[in-house]
Amino acid sequence: MTNKRKISTFIRYFFYGIVLVFFLWAFIQGHFSIIFEQTDEFLRLLRQHVLLVLVSSLLAVGIAIPAGILVTRPAFRKLEWPVLNLANLGQTIPSIAILALVMTYLGIGFNSAVFALFVFSILPVLRNTVAGLNSVDPALKDAAKGMGFTSSQILFKVEMPNAAYPIMAGIRTAMVMNVGSAALAYLVGGGGLGDFIFTGIVMQSQEYLISGAVPVTLLAICIDFLLRFIEKITVSKGLRRSAETAEAS
Amino acid sequence: MIEFKNVTKTYDGKVNAVDDVSFTVPQGNIAVFLGPSGCGKTTLLRMVNRLVPITKGEIFIDGEQTNSLNEIQLRRNIGYVIQSNGLFPNMTIEDNVTVVPKLLGWDKEKMRNRFFELMELIGLKPDDFRKRYPHELSGGQQQRIGIARAMAADPPVMLMDEPFGALDPIIRSHLQKEFLQIQKEVQKTILFVSHDIDEAITMGDQVAIFKDGRLMQYDAPDDILANPANEFVSTFVGSDRAIKSLGLHTVADLVNQLKVTPVAADSRQISLKTDLRQILSIFFNEGYEELVVVDEEKKPMGSITIQDVQKYLHQTNQSA
Ligand SMILES: Nc1ncnc2c1ncn2[C@@H]1O[C@H](COP(=O)(O)OP(=O)(O)OP(=O)(O)O)[C@@H](O)[C@H]1O
Ligand SMILES: [Mg+2]
């Protein structure tokens, strides 16, 4: 298990290494020139990109976690299947098709882009919340109930903390994915770094392409790091061993 | 005191998992629920803290009907231990142990003191365990913590569902003895589920034997061994029940009842506290003709033979 974990960590850092080498090479070639020539524009797009990701992810987390909690309550069990399938549907429709649909019915602009991103990211969070809550040992809930925990105490002191690892992993997956998908926001007039990338495609300009694509990649890596850090402080140490085995396998 | 009055449980309108059961467990006693798998022991136990609703009948704790109480308050006043210990993996050992006091709103100081007290009681060093997590403990240690947690708010009543069931036999018998020692101090009224007759004899002041949800016999262990109420009980306790009953008596009991012969020859010495089942195995395994009984100061009091044990067994079985 620890070997597997070492290998997966190694692969991750190896990947970071490649990105770094590429980054240096592109820098020396002057492919980042757009960032320096149009710094204000770059910062505006970057801010927009981050905002797209944050707003859509927060919305997704804000809806998916309560929904996940709801469908795992005994009284609402029957909803688990239809709700998960609905979320699955959101995932199976190709991104481009969702963008087309959103554009048709909501018009263009920031809000449309946020809505499309929100639809993409609901599923990973919802699925992991439901799976996490379902994986909490029933004996724990029984012990808690038998000791006089109220239903909400069982939820917040037993179920959520013990499901924290998969839930956090779901959020991380959704947000990292979202950084990439947000590059498509440009297509529905949502702005973001996709602006540079699509300009680069149209103009066949390496400078535009790289000045857009590399910051998107770095942003994804930063968010991944940040969320791994948040995971470390929010998930109890007592769960770490089982969490590590789960991650490596 | 816990009183069961015509208690019945029917799951989904099918057969009765518990069928018209009535008996009383006196204050400070351990009553063991014994019987084959599926006979309703767990169901009956869980009706006491209302994890399972009662279909018919009533349960009283110290004269108060459980159904008349708030169920959350009721449960906080009853210690609950289960086989798989149910420790919360996300909490430290200290947080696990003080979980009920925290629900009850104790202050930090009081909880900390209680934690230290309980850890001493179960024989684990508080400072070594305070900050550790359940997965860092052995099965036996986890089970001890589970018991400490159930006792944390000092509830007068404890429910224990096969608390030592998942442990290997050596650790199990160690924890049984240790727990009886603790019980001597704390004097709780305890309902204890087991499907092991030896455990029931060791742990119980009373043993309740069930079959298909019905109470077959409710008596002290030696009464059950000496006078099984029916065929089922007698088969369940086993044909070696006479030998089992010896485990309930010590050399001191025998010496009180029979005259010991003066010491004739030098032989192996035995203390007054040894139980007679052990004495029997010493006779068989080590091949002595007689054993020398010594008092607390190791002064020889007299010697006993295997015939004395036999005679004692006959006399007690007739009087029981
Ligand atoms: N939630 C439930 N729904 C329906 N039937 C149940 C339920 N719980 C228990 N039963 C049934 O009630 C009967 C008694 O079960 P119980 O768990 O009390 O047995 P037990 O004596 O504790 O057995 P074991 O020694 O195996 O733990 C069994 O026939 C069981 O199938
Ligand atoms: Mg049971």
Side-chain angles (χ1 to χ4, degrees):
Chain A
M1 287 299 165
T2 50
N3 247 349
K4 265 192 187 171
R5 190 173 152 68
K6 269 185 204 144
I7 291 170
S8 85
T9 312
F10 174 77
I11 290 174
R12 207 163 74 231
Y13 283 96
F14 183 70
F15 170 71
Y16 294 155
I18 290 178
V19 170
L20 194 74
V21 168
F22 170 73
F23 182 91
L24 285 174
W25 173 79
F27 189 82
I28 294 162
Q29 300 286 310
H31 288 165
F32 291 106
S33 56
I34 303 295
I35 295 179
F36 300 106
E37 285 159 19
Q38 308 179 25
T39 310
D40 287 349
E41 175 69 357
F42 169 74
L43 287 178
R44 192 181 66 81
L45 292 177
L46 178 65
R47 205 172 308 130
Q48 221 169 25
H49 201 101
V50 171
L51 210 60
L52 280 168
V53 171
L54 283 186
V55 174
S56 59
S57 304
L58 279 180
L59 276 176
V61 168
I63 302 260
I65 290 185
I69 291 173
L70 184 81
V71 300
T72 50
R73 297 309 94 188
F76 297 97
R77 269 286 160 198
K78 286 206 188 90
L79 291 178
E80 183 178 330
W81 194 82
V83 166
L84 273 182
N85 273 285
L86 194 68
N88 251 323
L89 200 66
Q91 196 78 11
T92 37
I93 303 175
S95 334
I96 292 287
I98 291 214
L99 286 177
L101 283 173
V102 165
M103 212 156 91
T104 315
Y105 294 104
L106 294 180
I108 58 169
F110 183 80
N111 291 349
S112 306
V114 164
F115 183 78
L117 290 175
F118 160 77
V119 173
F120 294 144
S121 37
I122 271 206
L123 179 77
V125 184
L126 181 68
R127 195 173 43 198
N128 279 32
T129 305
V130 171
L133 289 173
N134 282 339
S135 72
V136 176
D137 184 355
L140 290 184
K141 291 182 256 181
D142 184 68
K145 196 173 174 197
M147 287 189 293
F149 281 62
T150 61
S151 316
S152 63
Q153 282 167 336
I154 294 177
L155 175 62
F156 290 111
K157 295 190 174 176
V158 180
E159 293 185 80
M160 290 300 275
N162 284 295
Y165 185 80
I167 294 177
M168 290 301 296
I171 295 175
R172 184 158 51 87
T173 311
M175 285 190 78
V176 170
M177 260 172 37
N178 237 342
V179 173
S181 313
L184 298 175
Y186 166 79
L187 296 177
V188 290
L193 290 165
D195 198 327
F196 277 179
I197 296 175
F198 284 99
T199 309
I201 292 174
V202 173
M203 295 173 43
Q204 300 211 348
S205 147
Q206 267 175 343
E207 283 75 19
Y208 268 109
L209 274 174
I210 296 298
S211 298
V214 170
V216 169
T217 313
L218 289 180
L219 189 62
I221 292 175
C222 287
I223 288 194
D224 188 58
F225 258 117
L226 182 73
L227 288 176
R228 275 175 202 276
F229 175 72
I230 294 178
E231 219 168 79
K232 272 237 158 67
I233 50 180
T234 50
V235 178
S236 156
K237 277 201 205 69
L239 299 170
R240 197 149 302 157
R241 190 179 63 166
S242 48
E244 279 169 4
T245 9
E247 184 184 17
S249 55
Chain B
M1 193 177 80
I2 303 172
E3 202 181 343
F4 295 87
K5 246 192 195 160
N6 307 103
V7 177
T8 296
K9 175 71 200 180
T10 318
Y11 284 113
D12 323 317
K14 288 195 295 252
V15 286
N16 294 345
V18 171
D19 194 359
D20 195 23
V21 165
S22 303
F23 63 101
T24 302
V25 183
Q27 182 76 42
N29 278 18
I30 300 181
V32 178
F33 297 0
L34 184 65
S37 186
C39 69
K41 309 177 293 285
T42 298
T43 302
L44 186 62
L45 188 81
R46 287 162 65 88
M47 280 196 274
V48 176
N49 64 1
R50 289 174 55 190
L51 284 173
V52 171
I54 302 172
T55 307
K56 257 197 300 217
E58 297 155 305
I59 299 174
F60 296 89
I61 297 178
D62 292 330
E64 283 198 277
Q65 200 201 337
T66 50
N67 272 343
S68 71
L69 303 167
N70 172 294
E71 68 179 6
I72 298 292
Q73 299 306 325
L74 174 79
R75 289 174 191 155
R76 288 180 185 176
N77 282 308
I78 297 177
Y80 184 49
V81 187
I82 53 179
Q83 176 170 348
S84 59
N85 78 54
L87 295 183
F88 302 124
N90 59 310
M91 296 183 194
T92 61
I93 298 304
E94 180 171 20
D95 289 342
N96 263 292
V97 170
T98 56
V99 82
V100 177
K102 198 163 179 190
L103 292 178
L104 294 171
W106 291 19
D107 65 53
K108 278 217 167 81
E109 171 95 14
K110 194 174 166 196
M111 287 201 287
R112 171 64 52 85
N113 291 339
R114 183 64 182 152
F115 172 72
F116 275 75
E117 208 175 288
L118 284 163
M119 294 297 278
E120 300 290 349
L121 192 66
I122 59 169
L124 296 176
K125 289 210 184 81
D127 282 317
D128 288 359
F129 287 90
R130 209 157 66 79
K131 294 217 174 96
R132 286 163 77 176
Y133 287 91
H135 76 78
E136 300 168 316
L137 271 56
S138 73
Q141 288 168 339
Q142 290 181 10
Q143 209 54 39
R144 283 195 185 95
I145 299 293
I147 290 169
R149 178 174 70 175
M151 296 198 298
D154 205 13
V157 171
M158 291 189 33
L159 310 179
M160 307 178 82
D161 196 347
E162 307 202 28
F164 308 132
L167 303 172
D168 69 63
I170 295 172
I171 295 177
R172 187 190 310 157
S173 82
H174 178 75
L175 283 191
Q176 286 167 354
K177 293 203 184 87
E178 189 178 272
F179 185 72
L180 285 175
Q181 216 50 45
I182 295 172
Q183 165 68 353
K184 261 192 198 149
E185 259 178 70
V186 296
Q187 298 282 320
K188 310 267 179 216
T189 308
I190 295 170
L191 305 180
F192 188 112
V193 170
S194 176
H195 55 238
D196 173 11
I197 172 79
D198 288 310
E199 181 172 64
I201 293 168
T202 318
M203 302 300 291
D205 296 302
Q206 273 86 36
V207 177
I209 299 190
F210 296 92
K211 181 198 174 199
D212 300 335
R214 284 199 307 281
L215 182 60
M216 295 284 108
Q217 186 168 9
Y218 179 62
D219 265 319
D222 48 357
D223 290 334
I224 288 198
L225 291 172
N227 306 305
N230 54 37
E231 232 358 80
F232 175 79
V233 175
S234 122
T235 327
F236 194 80
V237 298
S239 47
D240 59 340
R241 60 192 167 87
I243 292 174
K244 280 183 177 125
S245 75
L246 283 176
L248 294 167
H249 302 271
T250 60
V251 176
D253 298 329
L254 184 146
V255 172
N256 280 341
Q257 197 157 329
L258 305 173
K259 283 202 197 72
V260 285
T261 48
V263 183
D266 213 23
S267 181
R268 189 187 191 301
Q269 300 195 332
I270 47 167
S271 86
L272 285 172
K273 274 188 290 199
T274 323
D275 74 55
L276 294 181
R277 199 168 167 175
Q278 258 173 288
I279 296 295
L280 210 58
S281 83
I282 293 174
F283 273 125
F284 284 130
N285 285 340
E286 304 180 19
Y288 295 104
E289 288 289 308
E290 47 186 45
L291 297 170
V292 177
V293 182
V294 295
D295 63 13
E296 281 90 14
E297 280 103 47
K298 302 252 181 226
K299 279 219 303 274
M301 299 170 67
S303 56
I304 56 171
T305 61
I306 205 161
Q307 282 75 30
D308 291 328
V309 179
Q310 200 179 10
K311 209 152 84 189
Y312 175 79
L313 190 64
H314 276 289
Q315 288 185 6
T316 46
N317 275 2
Q318 265 145 32
S319 63

